[in-house]
Amino acid sequence: MSITNTPTSNDACLSIVHSLMCHRQGGESETFAKRAIESLVKKLKEKKDELDSLITAITTNGAHPSKCVTIQRTLDGRLQVAGRKGFPHVIYARLWRWPDLHKNELKHVKYCQYAFDLKCDSVCVNPYHYERVVSPGIDLSGLTLQSSAPSSMLVKDEYVHDYEGQPSLSSAEGHSVQTIQHPPSNRASTEAYSTPAMLAPTEASTTGTTNFPNIPVASTNSTTTWTGSRTAAYTPTIPHHQNGHLQHHPPMHPGHYWPVHNELAFQPPISNHPAPEYWCSIAYFEMDVQVGETFKVPSSCPVVTVDGYVDPSGGDRFCLGQLSNVHRTEAIERARLHIGKGVQLECKGEGDVWVRCLSDHAVFVQSYYLDREAGRAPGDAVHKIYPSAYIKVFDLRQCHRQMQQQAATAQAAAAAQAAAVAGNIPGPGSVGGIAPAISLSAAAGIGVDDLRRLCILRMSFVKGWGPDYPRQSIKETPCWIEIHLHRALQLLDEVLHTMPIADPQPLD
């Protein structure tokens, strides 16, 4: 549209909205964009100079200087549009400038008097009063974490569109990382989802010990930032667009990379035992109660979808919407409405598992594989997987090594403990593989249930748990699933036959 045909504040709202819609970047749906622009234009109808400034800024792509365009700041600082809450300056910057923008990437220009960060009663939403700042790669090796996150930061509004929930990069304090975030990688590429994914070579960094290595950060592919509220955020670099659409790709993990399919092609199977009839079974829970029957996924269906719809379940689809529970509360019902398209679980190779989040809301995963990739002790973290992210959550070979090592450790510790009770005090080197931090009794206390946990994934829809949230356990979340991986359980059975361990007995 030429500048001569540009509307002014004296024109009808409909004409102004139509003109401004022509300049949107395409990251949001047309319905959402129209609602957001209509809302803004109506708010500015009484402030004609600001409305003219907005029209000038947008229709000239910022080529002409423009004033602040302000709306009233809300109590929590966010604006609700079409059922979604977000920071107003971010919403409009995404609409007209950067559709893939994260809120932590905005910095206001010096001459903006009502920038969001200035905490004035009014907030400037002029997209050309903000600049996009992309953080370079950060080396975490010299960073010390302090327990200084205020308690008021711990409870979040979890129904917010998920990228709004990311903590700001400007918050430098942190705590031991409890919720680790995995947004989708937006790597610039023309490849589609089916391209062989890349991952860090876990074999190279560990040889089956229980020491979990720190991850080297690759500044070319991702930025790892430690922020407040006990969260580590993995922020991808800016993608480029093709035909106006954002390209989502499998994540590039920090470190060295090689294609998954090539890696699997050269590895013999861990066991010659025939594959199980079902590669996994999925149980659905509401709080601490299982709802419905356990759903078994046949090995002939390597990809299964778990969603919130009401279609009959079967084969490669488990629909949670049709499951009834007489004890269901209003809070659970509300959370279930947000499951939506849910998640896709994919079994690769002999038994590795990948997750793709199809929902509009994040899912929260307990995964020993991701714990290790994040340099955490097993079971020490909750992993937040954002919409469109596609990420590996289970590695069969790593799990098998852990099984063997823990079984051997428990067996050796039990033998050493028995010797100590009999009066034969063993030497310091006799309990092979026990880390110094693990006591003899703790190592001897490893039971079959501990090993079974290595073969299980747990995943909560919409709601997180842990220190960042009001819920301390996944059993306090409204809707979650437990996934038992049958090939891993099959391997555990073999390990226990070669290295039987007794269930832990209390010491007298």
Side-chain angles (χ1 to χ4, degrees):
M1 186 178 286
S2 69
I3 194 74
T4 53
N5 295 329
T6 300
T8 69
S9 57
N10 293 319
D11 288 306
C13 283
L14 197 62
S15 302
I16 299 170
V17 170
H18 177 74
S19 173
L20 296 178
M21 280 286 285
C22 295
H23 295 269
R24 68 191 182 93
Q25 293 301 303
E28 298 286 2
S29 69
E30 185 173 347
T31 306
F32 179 85
K34 191 172 182 183
R35 292 274 289 277
I37 295 170
E38 280 175 349
S39 169
L40 181 57
V41 170
K42 285 175 184 174
K43 286 185 173 89
L44 297 174
K45 253 309 188 180
E46 301 304 313
K47 297 188 280 187
K48 293 186 180 297
D49 57 334
E50 292 189 22
L51 182 52
D52 282 325
S53 277
L54 176 71
I55 294 167
T56 299
I58 302 307
T59 56
T60 65
N61 294 324
H64 291 226
S66 53
K67 297 184 202 173
C68 284
V69 176
T70 62
I71 61 173
Q72 187 72 27
R73 181 186 288 272
T74 58
L75 285 175
D76 68 353
R78 292 178 302 183
L79 179 70
Q80 181 153 328
V81 177
R84 268 169 46 188
K85 270 193 166 188
F87 294 103
H89 62 311
V90 178
I91 289 175
Y92 294 107
R94 279 185 189 145
L95 274 180
W96 284 309
R97 294 194 73 183
W98 307 288
D100 57 313
L101 179 74
H102 295 198
K103 78 173 178 68
N104 52 21
E105 293 176 342
L106 278 186
K107 178 184 176 185
H108 64 271
V109 294
K110 289 179 182 177
Y111 52 82
C112 182
Q113 297 178 328
Y114 296 96
F116 182 82
D117 292 338
L118 298 180
K119 301 286 193 288
C120 301
D121 289 340
S122 296
V123 178
C124 178
V125 294
N126 185 337
Y128 292 94
H129 278 207
Y130 294 89
E131 296 171 341
R132 187 172 189 173
V133 180
V134 180
S135 302
I138 297 173
D139 180 9
L140 302 183
S141 57
L143 188 63
T144 15
L145 302 179
Q146 299 170 349
S147 174
S148 54
S151 58
S152 61
M153 294 172 69
L154 301 184
V155 180
K156 299 180 176 62
D157 178 355
E158 293 152 272
Y159 291 123
V160 177
H161 194 250
D162 261 303
Y163 274 121
E164 303 299 345
Q166 278 191 251
S168 169
L169 288 182
S170 62
S171 176
E173 304 97 38
H175 193 272
S176 59
V177 179
Q178 298 293 344
T179 304
I180 297 175
Q181 304 189 7
H182 303 266
S185 171
N186 299 320
R187 197 159 39 88
S189 169
T190 55
E191 299 162 331
Y193 263 138
S194 58
T195 305
M198 311 291 272
L199 67 138
T202 54
E203 270 76 18
S205 60
T206 175
T207 53
T209 65
T210 49
N211 297 324
F212 290 77
N214 291 323
I215 304 177
V217 176
S219 59
T220 52
N221 289 312
S222 68
T223 301
T224 306
T225 53
W226 293 73
T227 64
S229 194
R230 310 179 188 186
T231 303
Y234 296 76
T235 310
T237 53
I238 308 178
H240 80 232
H241 301 261
Q242 296 192 339
N243 304 323
H245 295 287
L246 188 61
Q247 305 294 310
H248 291 290
H249 299 278
M252 295 288 284
H253 290 292
H256 305 285
Y257 314 103
W258 61 73
V260 170
H261 299 307
N262 290 354
E263 176 201 3
L264 295 175
F266 294 113
Q267 290 181 334
I270 299 170
S271 167
N272 293 322
H273 200 285
E277 182 182 358
Y278 300 97
W279 72 265
C280 78
S281 53
I282 307 169
Y284 169 65
F285 292 83
E286 291 176 359
M287 309 295 275
D288 60 350
V289 176
Q290 182 173 347
V291 177
E293 299 290 321
T294 298
F295 182 78
K296 292 184 176 179
V297 185
S299 293
S300 57
C301 298
V303 179
V304 61
T305 302
V306 183
D307 60 44
Y309 300 126
V310 295
D311 301 321
S313 297
D316 62 352
R317 191 171 171 208
F318 185 17
C319 297
L320 306 179
Q322 42 95 22
L323 298 176
S324 59
N325 176 10
V326 293
H327 302 296
R328 185 172 292 152
T329 64
E330 188 182 337
I332 293 173
E333 195 67 73
R334 196 163 58 246
R336 280 167 53 84
L337 292 174
H338 290 82
I339 295 173
K341 295 178 182 177
V343 294
Q344 212 170 56
L345 304 170
E346 182 176 358
C347 182
K348 288 189 176 185
E350 193 177 351
D352 293 354
V353 180
W354 291 67
V355 166
R356 177 175 283 130
C357 181
L358 304 175
S359 172
D360 290 336
H361 294 268
V363 293
F364 297 81
V365 178
Q366 189 177 68
S367 158
Y368 288 171
Y369 170 76
L370 288 178
D371 290 344
R372 200 197 81 173
E373 291 296 290
R376 301 307 299 258
D380 193 37
V382 178
H383 301 268
K384 184 174 184 178
I385 300 180
Y386 280 84
S388 300
Y390 177 58
I391 191 166
K392 186 178 183 178
V393 293
F394 181 80
D395 184 289
L396 187 67
R397 287 180 184 274
Q398 178 201 310
C399 177
H400 187 238
R401 283 196 303 272
Q402 282 182 287
M403 283 175 199
Q404 289 178 313
Q405 182 204 338
Q406 288 192 25
T409 299
Q411 208 175 38
Q417 196 176 62
V421 170
N424 302 319
I425 307 299
S430 62
V431 183
I434 300 179
I438 303 175
S439 70
L440 196 64
S441 58
I446 296 172
V448 175
D449 284 346
D450 298 292
L451 296 179
R452 280 180 63 84
R453 283 190 199 101
L454 298 173
C455 313
I456 295 171
L457 294 168
R458 285 176 160 186
M459 186 182 302
S460 170
F461 295 97
V462 185
K463 298 288 189 177
W465 75 95
D468 287 353
Y469 297 90
R471 297 160 295 277
Q472 296 310 301
S473 156
I474 194 170
K475 292 184 178 181
E476 295 172 40
T477 62
C479 38
W480 58 281
I481 54 176
E482 186 170 86
I483 305 143
H484 290 242
L485 303 170
H486 293 188
R487 183 59 169 176
L489 290 165
Q490 204 176 48
L491 295 178
L492 175 58
D493 199 43
E494 289 184 14
V495 168
L496 292 175
H497 274 94
T498 56
M499 284 186 286
I501 60 173
D503 280 328
Q505 300 296 321
L507 287 173
D508 293 327

